[in-house]
Amino acid sequence: MGLALAEARKAYAAGEVPIGAVLVLDGEVIAAAHNMREAWHDATAHAEIIVIREACRKLGRWRLTGTTLYVTIEPCPMCAGALVMSRIDRLVYGSPDYKAGAVESIFNVVQNGALNHRAEVFAGVRGDECAALMREFFKERRSKD
């Protein structure tokens, strides 16, 4: 989670919503990224989507079985869906997202029994740090408006 937080801090410094993600396979970091929506002018440029794309290219496959995704904030519906579709086995995230969370806060996409894949979930890992980074970012943005 420390590496995901480092990615989130990079996003913060770049004026992006500070969310970072890291994908690990057999103890090795396969991909790491942070949100890039503003820089890329791309609504799908969430940290999770970027690491999934990078990992698929690096591994030469779309099935990411055996991997663990670490992300600072609970994934949104798009990212949770991508996690299921790419067959990621484990999700570790820091802080819940009560406005858009699709793991426990609003929906539960990643463990939905109607889907053909479910991920194991570990929530709250360094959650206070992850939430504090988001609070500070939005507090700073509101003070500039």
Side-chain angles (χ1 to χ4, degrees), residues 56-73:
C56 289
R57 276 193 296 272
K58 184 173 183 177
L59 297 174
R61 60 185 177 150
W62 66 267
R63 287 181 185 90
L64 299 177
T65 53
T67 61
T68 300
L69 177 65
Y70 294 86
V71 62
T72 55
I73 301 296

Side-chain angles (χ1 to χ4, degrees), residues 11-19 34-40 137 141:
Y12 190 120
E16 299 278 355
V17 173
I19 297 174
H34 56 274
N35 277 7
M36 296 292 292
R37 291 188 310 171
E38 301 298 331
W40 293 357
F137 176 80
R141 278 189 81 159

Side-chain angles (χ1 to χ4, degrees), residues 44 46-49 52 69 75-84 102 109-110:
T44 68
H46 289 203
E48 300 96 307
I49 300 296
I52 289 170
L69 177 65
C76 72
M78 175 182 67
C79 294
L83 185 152
V84 169
V109 173
V110 301

Side-chain angles (χ1 to χ4, degrees), residues 11-33:
Y12 190 120
E16 299 278 355
V17 173
I19 297 174
V22 175
L23 193 71
V24 174
L25 175 65
D26 297 328
E28 178 186 342
V29 173
I30 301 302

